[in-house]
Amino acid sequence: MELRPQTPDLSAYLAADEAVDHEHPLVRETAARLRGGTGDVHAYARAAFEFVRDAIPHSHDAGDPRVTWRASDVLRLRTGICYAKAHALAALLRAEGVPTALCYQNLGVIHGLIALRLPGSERWHRQDPRGNKPGVDARFSLDGERLAFPVRPEFNEVDYPVLYAAPHPVVLRALQSATDRETLWPHLPTEL
C-alpha cells in the first residue's frame, strides 16, 4: 500500500493541536527524558515508541474505565485506547522534530496508529503503539511493518492510505463525547 499524505506541507505533521499537544510541559519533559538516553533521532523514535507501547497500558487491556484523548492526559494518567496512544506518540515525536501522521485501519471498528518520517528519508513508516498482549506483537520497524493487527481482506478489513496531520474528526468526536470506556465502546467509529 502506498501511503498518501493528506497535505504535501511537511510542517503540518509537526504542528501542535488540541489532541497532539506537544507544547505541553509534560510532553516536553517526557520527550527530554527519553531523548537523554539516546544518541540520535532514530534511537529516540524507537525509545518514544517503546515507551508509549509498554509504559502506557491500553485502557481496555488494563480494565481502566477512563477515556483520554489529549496526549498530555495520556502521559499524565498513563492510560488510553489506540487513538489516544497514537496521539501521545505523535506528540512525543513531533516535540523532537520528527514529522508524524495519524493513520487508521478498519478492522470492523477503526483502529488508530501513526506514521513517522525520519530525517534523510522520503518514506513514511507506520508504527502501532497500541500495546502488546497475547496474540499482539507490535514492534518498531523501519524494514517492513510490525503492526498490532495486519488487515485481513477476507473479513473486509482495510488499511486507509491517508496520512492525517490531525486526528480524524470522527475519532476525536467519539473520544471527547465518552464519559468512560463503557460509553465509548458501543460508539467506536466503524468508518472514516
Side-chain angles (χ1 to χ4, degrees), residues 83 102-106 110-111 159-162 164 167-172 189-192:
Y83 315 129
L102 296 155
C103 45
Y104 303 93
Q105 297 174 305
N106 189 328
I110 301 302
H111 174 63
D159 285 312
Y160 291 114
V162 177
Y164 293 92
H168 195 283
V170 169
V171 167
L172 205 50
T190 57
E191 58 185 48
L192 295 181

Side-chain angles (χ1 to χ4, degrees), residues 82-107:
C82 61
Y83 315 129
K85 291 182 66 157
H87 299 168
L89 180 55
L92 289 171
L93 292 169
R94 289 179 182 187
E96 291 298 316
V98 177
T100 307
L102 296 155
C103 45
Y104 303 93
Q105 297 174 305
N106 189 328
L107 306 171

Side-chain angles (χ1 to χ4, degrees), residues 78-141:
R78 295 287 175 109
T79 191
I81 67 168
C82 61
Y83 315 129
K85 291 182 66 157
H87 299 168
L89 180 55
L92 289 171
L93 292 169
R94 289 179 182 187
E96 291 298 316
V98 177
T100 307
L102 296 155
C103 45
Y104 303 93
Q105 297 174 305
N106 189 328
L107 306 171
V109 295
I110 301 302
H111 174 63
L113 49 153
I114 66 104
L116 57 83
R117 186 169 154 183
L118 292 169
S121 176
E122 295 295 317
R123 192 165 164 231
W124 290 90
H125 301 275
R126 290 192 310 166
Q127 310 293 330
D128 191 342
R130 181 225 179 267
N132 291 338
K133 64 179 187 172
V136 175
D137 186 27
R139 306 251 174 196
F140 184 86
S141 177

